[in-house]
Every structure is written in C-alpha cells, then in structure tokens.
C-alpha cells in the first residue's frame, strides 16, 4: 500500500446523522412507482410527495436542521396535516425556486404543473388544541399535457422560468408570467425522459432517457438536441447532473449486465471520458453535485451515501453508512448551510416514515470562518428576467459569500457549444392580443450564445459575449479585477495544500527510510 496520501481539504468529510427529534416522523411517503427523489428543499421549507387518497398531494414543512429541532413544531407529525392537494392524480415531482424560497412547483400524473406560494403563517399553532388544518392553494395552474408530467425544474439564473418533462417525450419551457403557451419545446426523445439538468447559466440542458441516450439541448432554440450520445447500456433509471460551471456532466445508470455505473462526460463533443462500475445493486443511483467539487451518490434502497472529489479524475473520499435504506433524497442549497459547524453539504433522506437531515462536516477545531472549504454559493438573486432570457440574453449566476453574505457576479464557463443543426426554433413571445391556439406561430430567430475565454497574465478571465450586451467601462474592469483576485486566492490556497501534502509525504518517506 502506498505511503503517500493525496492532499485534500475534504479528505476527512463525514456524515453526521441528526437525532430523531431533529427530523420528521410519521411521514406518509407516496407509494407511486415513478422514479423520483420524493423530496425537495429550499432554504426555508421542504416538500415531500404524500400518499393521499382522492387525488394527488404533497406536504410542505418547515426546514429541519441536523443540529437542533424545529422551533415550536412537532417532530412527530399529526395523522392529519395541511397538504397541497389540488392535483387530481399522484404528484410525481416538486422543485423549489432558486430565487424565492417560498415558491414551489409540482408535477403530477394529471398532466398539470401547479405553482404554490407558502406563507409562514401556515405553520402557526400546529398541533395545538382546536387547531384545524387548512390545505394549501396553488397560485397558478399550467395545463401542460394530456399525459403525466414526470419532472419539473426551475431555471438557475432567470426568474420565473420553469421546465417540465411530459409523457409525450417532450420538454417545455414556461414563462410563469404568461403560461398560455410554452416559450420553447425540446423534442427528439425516443422514450420516457428520466432526468434533466441545466448548466449553471441555463444556456444548456442535458437529459437522460429510457432509450439509453444522453442528449444536450439549447433550451431556447427548441427542437432537436445539438448533441446525442449512447449513454448506459441498461434501460433502468439513468440520472444526469451538471458538474458546476465546468464543461462536464455526470450520469448514473446501469450496464447491460445490470451493474450500476457512473460516467463522466465532456460536453463539447459529448464524449465519455471516464466510466466507473459501482456495484451490482438494483436501486437507481441519485447523483448530487456540490460546488466544493464533490459528487454524492445515493442509491435507492441503499443505506450508504458515497462521495467523491473531482479534480480531472474521481477520487473516492468516504461513505456515510446507515442501516436505514433511503427511498429518496435531496440536498440543501449551499447558501443555507451552517458554516459555524463546518457543514459543507446537507442531505435530506426519506426513509420508511421519516425525513432525516444529514450534515456533511469537515472536522476543524478553529472557531473562525473556514474560507478554504467554502467557495461562494449561488445567490437567491436572479440575474435575468424571463423575457430577457427568452430574448437571448445570458448572464452568470450571482454568487454570495458564506462569510459575510456579500453578493457579487460569478465567473462564466469557458465551454463553447457547437451550433445546433438548424431545427426550426420554437422560442417566441406571443403578443397579448393573440388568443390561445393549438399550434405555435413561427418565432423570431434566436441567436445562440457564444462563450469566449481570454488569457491575461496567466489568469483566466472568462467573459460572456452576446449580441445584445457587452460589458464595458468601469463595471467591467471591477468585475475583471475581482475575478483575478478570487482566482489568485484560490491558487494560493491550492499551493498551500500541495506544500502541506509534500511535507507530510516527505516526513513519511524519511521515517520509512530510518525504519528500514
């Protein structure tokens, strides 16, 4: 065995399971066979697909913490609680807006997407004497399809933009301010869509499908994908997740021999650059990416959660092990983490009749903020409106410092997507005077975004250039200097870690020579 250990500040990350009273019990999880995570979280609430009679429903609950119980709230839920009940068939998926922690979208087998806004007053006097539960009411309803809607996903940078995947094997993008018609329709899937993911700017979307193919779309251009590749050999559930602001994505699936498999893809040509066989279990693996550079894998029916660090290659870190198998899982937005506990990620695990928070912690003795383990997180502030996004404008996600809450513009990816093979674009802005129609008119042409990288003094300055907007003047200079400063600090931290690793290896080598 090698005496030399790879230097990593996340090498000793461990999963801290919450006490029973810090989570929720008596949770009636949906019995639907649809492959979904069953749970979703914002910085304030969680939603859980519920087993309800007479239609579809999901529960909305205050966000539990692994470090303390929810104030003035029972951990063992009453048998009857307020639910979001307006679907007429089982709820299959929910997703919280990244720009408003009180807004959640739900998708159901009834072919509808509903939008809900949660008021904090809804949780007053829970379980008290004479308390009468009152169900939540949706604020908007979208008739998406005559067939079931399997997934919903909010856009990462544009406010009020939502994607929905239907049993018609299409994905539709909606402006929630005008839901009469979809603004874009993505086609080309040959079977059931199993998962979808935006890149950090929302200019690209990756999907997995039961036809065993991985597809890459320009979501505003609509139509067929710009890239298609053979993914995993098995037809069982495949998932996809974008690996931060890089040009790489990760997929999980099954081989033809039913082995569970993890693949890393380079999105420029949609080529697989790494494949790893995990094991031979039967449960679908749910992948989750943290901007610390850590990829989490949670298999349905497993009691463990694997996690890996990615730096040009996958390096296994450890496993969080439990005797309770998980049915579903989600991760908390990083801006809501408890930095005083050195928590770098938090999962919410659905198991049996419970929802359990799990904190992933870097063991540190220092009481001060640990800047080296906390890169800036995605902010709750949108950078674009829906109309700007569908008009072709592009902007990076706004970032927030986890140390002081300061919000600033993020860096852009260097990835340049190849132009689409010119399908008829489907994004358009219907004038108010146009009535509903069964077919969509031909939209104004959309010009795909061009991404460009510049090299200045060996530091990469990433610039997003569009035909509609060019950053000029003092604001651009300030952003450039801030980006160079952040990159320089990151290089210094990485060099310090490398030096520490070299010193540790030198000490071990010297000791081994002396012992020999």
């Amino acid at each position: 065995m090698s005496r030399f250990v790879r230097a990593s500040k996340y090498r000793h990350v461990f999963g801290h399971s919450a006490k029973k009273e810090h989570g929720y019990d008596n949770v009636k999880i949906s019995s639907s066979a649809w492959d979904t995570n069953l749970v979703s979280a914002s910085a304030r609430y969680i939603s859980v697909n519920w087993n309800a009679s007479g239609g579809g429903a999901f529960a909305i609950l205050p966000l539990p913490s692994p470090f303390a119980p929810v104030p003035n709230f029972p951990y063992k839920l009453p048998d009857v609680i307020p639910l979001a009940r307006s679907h007429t068939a089982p709820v299959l998926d929910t997703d919280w807006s990244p720009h408003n922690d009180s807004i959640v979208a739900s998708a159901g087998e009834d072919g509808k997407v509903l939008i809900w806004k949660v008021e904090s007053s809804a949780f007053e006097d829970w379980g008290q004497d004479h308390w009468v539960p009152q169900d939540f009411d949706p604020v908007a309803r979208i008739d998406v399809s005559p067939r079931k809607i399997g997934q919903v996903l909010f856009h990462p940078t544009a406010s009020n933009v939502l994607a929905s995947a239907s049993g018609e094997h299409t994905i539709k993008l909606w402006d929630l301010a005008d839901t009469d018609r979809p603004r874009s329709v993505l086609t080309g899937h040959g079977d059931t869509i199993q998962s979808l993911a935006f890149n950090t700017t929302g200019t690209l979307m990756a999907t997995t499908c039961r036809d065993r193919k991985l597809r890459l779309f320009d979501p505003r251009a609509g139509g067929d994908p710009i890239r298609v590749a053979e993914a995993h050999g098995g037809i069982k559930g495949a998932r996809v997740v974008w690996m931060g602001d890089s040009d790489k994505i990760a997929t999980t699936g099954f081989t033809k021999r039913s082995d569970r498999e993890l693949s890393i893809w380079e999105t420029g040509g949609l080529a697989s650059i790494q494949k790893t066989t995990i094991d031979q279990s039967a449960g679908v693996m749910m992948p989750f990416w943290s901007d610390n550079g850590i990829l989490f894998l949670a298999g349905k029916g497993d009691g463990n959660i694997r996690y890996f660090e990615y730096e040009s290659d996958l390096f296994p870190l450890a496993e969080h092990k439990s005797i309770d198998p998980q049915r579903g899982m989600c991760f908390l937005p990083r801006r809501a983490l408890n930095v005083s506990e050195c928590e770098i990620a938090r999962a919410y695990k659905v198991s049996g009749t419970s929802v359990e928070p799990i904190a992933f912690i870097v063991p540190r003795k220092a009481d001060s903020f640990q800047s080296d383990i906390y890169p800036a997180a995605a902010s709750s502030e949108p950078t674009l409106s829906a109309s700007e996004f569908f008009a072709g404008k592009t902007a990076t996600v706004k970032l927030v410092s986890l140390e002081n809450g300061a919000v600033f513009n993020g860096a852009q990816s260097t990835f340049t997507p190849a132009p689409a093979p010119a399908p008829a674009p489907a994004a358009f802005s219907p004038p108010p005077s146009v009535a509903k129609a069964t077919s969509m008119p031909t939209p104004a042409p959309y010009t795909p975004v061009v991404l460009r990288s510049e090299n200045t003094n060996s530091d990469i300055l990433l610039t997003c250039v569009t035909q509609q907007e060019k950053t000029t003047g003092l604001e651009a200079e300030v952003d450039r200097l801030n980006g160079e400063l952040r990159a320089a600090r990151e290089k210094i931290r990485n060099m310090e870690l490398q030096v520490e690793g070299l010193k540790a290896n030198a000490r071990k080598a010297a000791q081994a020579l002396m012992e020999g």
Side-chain angles (χ1 to χ4, degrees):
M1 181 179 294
S2 174
R3 295 176 179 269
F4 300 98
V5 179
R6 173 180 166 270
S8 171
K9 50 185 174 286
Y10 301 114
R11 187 157 54 94
H12 300 293
V13 169
F14 68 94
H16 166 72
S17 296
K19 297 179 181 179
K20 185 176 182 180
E21 58 268 24
H22 293 176
Y24 290 122
D25 199 7
N26 197 30
V27 180
K28 298 176 175 59
I29 309 298
S30 172
S31 58
S32 172
W34 180 253
D35 179 23
T36 179
N37 289 358
L38 292 173
V39 61
S40 182
S42 75
R44 295 182 63 188
Y45 306 105
I46 63 170
S47 55
V48 184
N49 294 8
W50 207 257
N51 188 14
S53 59
F58 68 99
I60 299 173
L61 301 166
L63 187 77
S65 166
F67 308 106
V70 178
N72 304 316
F73 204 83
Y75 82 89
K76 185 172 183 179
L77 300 179
D79 289 332
V80 179
I81 68 171
L83 295 173
R85 291 183 181 271
S86 295
H87 284 278
T88 58
V91 172
L92 300 181
D93 194 26
T94 60
D95 189 47
W96 291 88
S97 169
H99 309 124
N100 189 325
D101 292 324
S102 298
I103 292 180
V104 61
S106 62
E109 286 190 10
D110 55 2
K112 295 177 175 56
V113 168
L114 304 183
I115 310 299
W116 314 75
K117 190 173 190 308
V118 185
E119 303 294 342
S120 58
S121 59
F123 302 100
E124 295 176 356
D125 301 325
W126 259 59
Q128 301 298 318
D129 293 340
H130 310 296
W131 172 69
V132 178
Q134 294 184 352
D135 289 340
F136 297 91
D137 292 320
V139 296
R141 181 188 304 266
I142 309 175
D143 294 323
V144 178
S145 167
R147 305 185 69 179
K148 65 185 176 185
I149 308 301
Q151 295 91 16
V152 283
L153 183 65
F154 275 98
H155 193 275
T157 61
S159 62
N160 297 326
V161 174
L162 182 73
S164 63
S166 75
E168 298 173 304
H169 310 157
T170 62
I171 296 173
K172 298 178 181 180
L173 272 73
W174 305 87
D175 178 355
L176 297 184
D178 181 8
T179 58
D180 286 348
R181 301 192 189 111
R183 300 296 300 271
S184 179
V185 179
L186 310 183
T187 59
H189 295 95
D191 207 327
T192 302
I193 299 167
Q194 295 174 322
S195 71
L196 58 157
F198 283 110
N199 66 347
T200 54
T201 57
T203 55
L204 293 171
M205 175 183 280
T207 68
T208 56
C209 182
R210 201 169 182 269
D211 63 7
R212 310 175 191 178
K213 289 182 171 56
L214 173 66
R215 292 173 172 85
L216 198 64
F217 290 88
D218 181 340
R220 289 178 290 198
D224 291 336
I226 57 177
R227 288 280 186 269
V228 181
E230 295 293 333
H232 302 275
I235 64 172
K236 292 175 67 176
R239 299 289 190 92
V240 61
V241 64
W242 214 281
M243 301 176 70
D245 60 0
S246 71
D247 62 346
K248 295 178 177 63
I249 54 179
T251 61
T252 58
F254 293 82
T255 67
K256 291 182 179 179
R257 296 183 177 182
S258 296
D259 296 332
R260 294 199 295 189
E261 185 177 53
L262 167 68
S263 292
I264 308 297
W265 305 79
E266 184 274 319
T267 50
L270 209 55
S272 176
I273 59 177
Q274 184 174 353
K275 285 193 175 183
T276 304
T277 299
I278 303 298
D279 57 26
Q280 294 181 329
S281 296
V284 173
M285 284 194 301
M286 300 172 284
F288 303 95
W289 174 260
S290 168
D291 288 333
N292 308 86
I294 299 177
L295 178 67
F296 294 86
L297 298 182
K300 291 191 174 185
D302 297 355
N304 62 329
I305 304 172
R306 298 175 174 89
Y307 39 104
F308 306 80
E309 188 171 12
Y310 187 82
E311 288 183 356
S312 302
D313 198 357
L314 277 176
F315 299 95
L317 292 174
E319 288 186 27
H320 170 72
K321 296 183 179 181
S322 169
I323 61 173
D324 298 319
Q326 56 240 6
R327 287 193 57 199
M329 186 171 291
C330 72
F331 271 67
L332 182 70
R334 286 185 56 249
R335 56 187 167 85
L337 294 173
N338 189 335
V339 297
S340 64
E341 299 286 348
C342 293
E343 181 188 35
I344 63 161
R346 184 188 302 175
Y348 287 95
K349 170 182 172 179
V350 173
S351 175
T353 61
S354 68
V355 175
E356 175 192 8
I358 303 172
F360 291 91
I361 296 172
V362 175
R364 293 282 177 92
K365 292 183 179 180
D367 295 329
S368 59
F369 178 76
Q370 305 294 295
S371 60
D372 61 317
I373 63 173
Y374 285 113
S379 165
S380 62
E381 295 185 16
T383 51
L384 295 172
S385 67
S387 58
E388 288 174 329
F389 171 72
F390 287 114
K393 191 174 180 180
T394 299
T396 58
V397 64
K398 288 188 177 181
L399 301 177
V400 58
S401 167
L402 298 186
E403 180 177 14
N404 54 27
V407 177
F408 53 92
N409 292 328
Q412 180 65 280
S413 170
T414 58
F415 172 52
T416 304
F428 71 98
S429 299
S433 59
V434 177
K436 292 184 180 180
T438 56
S439 61
M440 297 194 303
T442 302
Y446 157 68
T447 303
V449 175
V450 178
L451 302 180
R452 183 180 67 190
S453 66
E454 299 174 357
N455 197 330
T456 304
N457 297 328
S458 301
D459 291 325
I460 302 297
L461 173 62
L462 303 173
T463 310
C464 177
V465 181
T466 68
Q467 291 183 349
Q468 292 81 14
E469 179 183 24
K470 292 184 179 180
T471 307
T472 57
L474 182 60
E475 182 179 358
E477 183 68 11
V478 171
D479 287 343
R480 184 182 70 82
L481 294 174
N482 284 337
E484 290 183 351
L485 180 60
R486 288 193 298 274
R489 286 174 175 170
E490 184 65 24
K491 285 184 178 180
I492 291 171
R493 287 196 295 269
N494 290 336
M495 292 176 67
E496 289 174 346
L497 285 171
Q498 292 174 9
V499 170
E500 290 299 322
L502 291 173
K503 287 181 179 178
N505 289 335
R507 286 195 297 269
K508 292 178 181 179
Q511 184 178 358
L513 289 173
M514 292 176 65
E515 292 175 353

